[in-house]
Amino acid sequence: MILPMTVNPRLTHLLELADKGPALRAALAEEAAALLAKWPDDCPGEMRPVFENLLAKTAREVDADTRARLRLQLFSQRELAARILPKEKNPVLPVIEAARDGRDVAGALAALLGVEESRAQEILSDDSGHALAIACKGGGLDRATFSTLALLALPPCADPAARLEAHDSVTTLEAARTLRAWQGGVMPVAAE
């Protein structure tokens, strides 16, 4: 493909990665998703479909963990993610099944969210449901998933309705930031 001389260096870099073969597919997919999530003003709009196609093709060639990271990267572009990322088995199902069967949920939740199992245990031991609300909203899980886990996986509480309201008290942006910190093993400082 011949590009105009004024092409953004990020676009050129992505095209170079595409030529390097399967070893760099995850890096290519994540960089393409980052570019599409926040398309730079200096990138020609007519190039966007090219990179959407590149991401769609690359996303089929990467592992499930990379596809999960891509979905998080494209959280603000849900329509785009739904259109170009491959459909997969519902990743929440193992967590819900473990909760319904009374099995340990922490391992399945840790795998789903990309956090350490000890962090998942902390999330599930929070009686208020606030940590679970952060985890669910930050991970792009819907209200029904949160409600199911709040009722089945958290310790019994006197006021389940109050626990369910925790979901509404958490903003998606703050939840995403907190989950990213948890994924990195860092517990963010609570706002005063």
Side-chain angles (χ1 to χ4, degrees), residues 78-165:
R78 289 182 185 214
E79 187 177 303
L80 173 66
R83 190 174 70 245
I84 66 174
L85 294 178
K87 303 285 185 245
E88 296 186 28
K89 177 184 162 196
N90 184 349
V92 176
L93 199 54
V95 180
I96 299 293
E97 288 173 349
R100 285 185 179 145
D101 296 344
R103 293 183 280 123
D104 178 44
V105 177
L109 185 63
L112 176 66
L113 298 175
V115 299
E116 296 290 326
E117 191 165 340
S118 60
R119 176 71 68 198
Q121 289 170 343
E122 291 173 19
I123 291 167
L124 293 170
S125 65
D126 173 24
D127 287 342
S128 71
H130 187 75
L132 182 61
I134 290 170
C136 288
K137 271 197 171 175
L141 307 180
D142 63 16
R143 170 71 186 239
T145 300
F146 165 76
S147 298
T148 301
L149 293 175
L151 295 173
L152 297 177
L154 296 182
C157 71
D159 190 3
R163 179 184 281 171
L164 294 176
E165 290 173 9

Side-chain angles (χ1 to χ4, degrees), residues 2-3 17 29 32 35 37 39 41 43 49 59 61-62 71 78 84 89 93 102-103 133 142 155 164-165 183 192:
I2 298 175
L3 296 174
L17 277 177
L35 181 70
W39 191 257
D41 293 335
C43 292
E61 299 171 357
V62 296
R71 282 188 175 75
R78 289 182 185 214
I84 66 174
K89 177 184 162 196
L93 199 54
R103 293 183 280 123
D142 63 16
L164 294 176
E165 290 173 9
Q183 289 166 334
E192 308 228 356

